[in-house]
Amino acid sequence: ANLNRELQLEREKQNINNSINGEDPPYTTNNSRSPPEAAAAEDQLQYGRKTNCFPRSVSNFSCLLLEWKNVLKEVQVGNSPSLHCVLPCITYLREQMINGEKKERGGMKFFYKRVIQLLDNMFKLEDDHIRASFLHPNYKQLRGATKTQIKSCHAYCRGLVLPDTTGDDPVISDKDVCEPPSKKSKFMLQLMDKNEIVKEPGMNEIDRYNALTVEEEYTNPLTFWQQQHIQLAYPTLYRLAKRTFAVPCSSAAVERQFSAAGQIVTQRRSNLDPSTVNNLIFLRSIENSKRQM
């Protein structure tokens, strides 16, 4: 807008000088337009030249922000465990920004470079982030972590495993697990082979967990660790998973609880007992979890 105004003032000044000197205005090339209309058309042409690449820049910048939107939506929505999302999300963003830097040119290339620098400076992967990804059965390969971080994570987990003094444990199968019978069992499910977890000699709990093949995709890691045969096969990792996944990766869920508490404790209900408020918020979180399921 300032550029158009400067062009208009410069043209008006030139027209005044031409009229004083007795010269014809520079609008005689198009006799069908009056001088003000020709000036407006020239301004519009100059504005179109300056902003020709504006829609494309906005589209490219929206593609850059879309990747961040997807990550924030995955991390902040819901109350399920999210600490394991840090390593995969940071790795995903870094790969997308590097690919965008290679494809883009001009000003957008600068933005992609700057975002990569922000990722390296602002987000520091801690041991808890690596450990949480390792305890998720679908991210245990720790793609995106350095070799030092992977070795440190495995060494920490091995240090928690107690020495086995009873020798090789027997094979743990679903027959050894005491579970109540289901109310409506399907016939074909009874004919399926039972998956057995065999503990080979010379392999500790960490090695067996690394060698475990998981075909099912778990959105919530606690679903994997709630299985009783998994708890019997990996007791140390099970206890570590309960302690690790209790930590959220962001404060979004906590902020939602504060907002809910503000709706419960109002001016008319300011004398509520703290234990009552705590119970109400706890019941509210359970109901929200049931709705999401």
Side-chain angles (χ1 to χ4, degrees), residues 257 261 264-265 272-285:
Q257 299 301 330
I264 294 174
V265 183
L272 286 175
D273 190 81
S275 60
T276 304
V277 178
N278 189 19
N279 294 334
L280 291 174
I281 295 176
F282 180 70
L283 293 175
R284 178 180 177 275
S285 63

Side-chain angles (χ1 to χ4, degrees), residues 26 44 92 99 102 122 141 186 197 208 235 265 273 277:
Q44 186 175 4
Y92 169 78
N99 294 334
K102 294 179 181 179
M122 296 177 61
Q141 301 299 330
K186 296 183 180 180
I197 302 176
R208 287 186 286 111
V265 183
D273 190 81
V277 178

Side-chain angles (χ1 to χ4, degrees), residues 154-207:
H154 291 173
Y156 178 85
C157 294
R158 286 192 177 93
L160 298 178
V161 177
L162 298 177
D164 191 1
T165 58
T166 60
D168 296 337
D169 293 340
V171 175
I172 301 175
S173 62
D174 291 345
K175 298 179 180 179
D176 301 328
V177 179
C178 297
E179 294 182 355
S182 57
K183 296 181 180 180
K184 295 181 180 180
S185 60
K186 296 183 180 180
F187 175 74
M188 295 303 299
L189 292 178
Q190 300 176 1
L191 301 180
M192 291 183 179
D193 297 333
K194 303 298 181 180
N195 296 326
E196 297 182 352
I197 302 176
V198 181
K199 182 176 180 181
E200 300 180 1
M203 295 182 64
N204 58 11
E205 186 175 332
I206 308 303
D207 296 332

Side-chain angles (χ1 to χ4, degrees), residues 222-235:
L222 295 182
T223 306
F224 172 79
W225 292 106
Q226 285 174 354
Q227 305 177 44
Q228 193 169 1
H229 66 280
I230 296 295
Q231 299 175 11
L232 295 175
Y234 312 105

Side-chain angles (χ1 to χ4, degrees), residues 68-128:
W68 293 82
K69 177 184 176 182
N70 296 333
V71 169
L72 292 176
K73 184 178 179 181
E74 183 68 26
V75 170
Q76 295 183 358
V77 175
N79 296 324
S80 59
S82 57
L83 192 62
H84 63 278
C85 298
V86 176
L87 176 61
C89 290
I90 295 298
T91 304
Y92 169 78
L93 285 177
R94 184 177 288 107
E95 292 176 352
Q96 295 297 321
M97 296 303 106
I98 292 175
N99 294 334
E101 181 188 0
K102 294 179 181 179
K103 294 179 182 179
E104 295 294 336
R105 296 180 180 178
M108 288 303 302
K109 193 177 185 67
F110 166 79
F111 284 106
Y112 278 99
K113 287 184 177 180
R114 183 57 178 166
V115 168
I116 294 174
Q117 293 177 358
L118 292 176
L119 279 174
D120 296 334
N121 296 332
M122 296 177 61
F123 297 96
K124 182 180 179 181
L125 293 174
E126 303 290 344
D127 296 336
D128 293 336

